[in-house]
């Protein structure tokens, strides 16, 4: 599937594809610069955006966050370290937002449960 086709999928479809990808042991990517990871504010939530490929993350960053680039997170690190840490820090996960910034925002431990089920 091309990046354009992926971004054209519904938020639910991108979410489902992402969960399936991680359930099978796939890595994921967020955006980072020399100071750390990109955190967005959605309503009153802090959100870490995440994608299944570096290409998707970098393409999304090219629109408004050119100073950031894709950071690979291993499956084990994401599930066992990042998600519990994000839950402790009250940071939600923005799963594969499209170019318009639309996507499903989910609590970290809720995503962990879906990946492991």
């Amino acid at each position: 599937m091309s990046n354009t086709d992926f971004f054209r999928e519904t938020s639910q479809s991108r979410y489902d594809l992402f969960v399936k990808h991680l359930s099978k042991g796939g890595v994921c990517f967020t955006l980072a610069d020399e100071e750390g990871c990109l955190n967005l504010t959605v309503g009153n939530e802090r959100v870490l955006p995440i994608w299944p490929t570096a290409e998707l993350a970098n393409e999304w960053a090219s629109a408004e966050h050119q100073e950031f680039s894709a950071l690979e997170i291993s499956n084990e690190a994401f599930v066992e370290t990042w998600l519990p840490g994000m839950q402790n820090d009250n940071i939600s996960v923005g799963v594969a937002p499209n170019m318009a910034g639309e996507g499903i925002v989910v609590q970290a431990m809720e995503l962990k449960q879906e990946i492991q089920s």
Side-chain angles (χ1 to χ4, degrees):
M1 175 181 299
S2 73
N3 288 358
T4 301
D5 289 342
F6 181 83
F7 283 130
R8 286 184 180 155
E9 293 286 329
T10 65
S11 294
Q12 186 65 54
S13 179
R14 290 191 315 279
Y15 180 87
D16 293 343
L17 288 166
F18 181 78
V19 169
K20 184 177 180 182
H21 170 76
L22 287 182
S23 296
K24 292 181 176 182
V27 299
C28 60
F29 295 83
T30 192
L31 294 168
D33 65 8
E34 59 279 347
E35 296 179 20
C37 294
L38 175 66
N39 276 271
L40 305 171
T41 302
V42 178
N44 60 357
E45 288 184 89
R46 286 182 21 203
V47 177
L48 179 78
I50 207 106
W51 295 268
T53 70
E55 294 78 17
L56 289 166
N58 285 326
E59 184 172 336
W60 190 88
S62 70
E64 294 182 25
H65 302 282
Q66 298 89 354
E67 65 276 16
F68 290 87
S69 60
L71 171 70
E72 181 175 330
I73 308 168
S74 74
N75 186 285
E76 181 179 346
F78 186 67
V79 173
E80 299 303 326
T81 304
W82 283 66
L83 290 174
M86 290 170 66
Q87 188 74 31
N88 289 340
D89 293 338
N90 285 326
I91 299 173
S92 298
V93 185
V95 178
N98 65 14
M99 295 305 286
E102 301 163 336
I104 291 177
V105 174
V106 64
Q107 296 297 310
M109 296 312 282
E110 184 179 332
L111 180 58
K112 181 177 179 176
Q113 290 173 348
E114 288 214 36
I115 292 166
Q116 294 178 326
S117 64

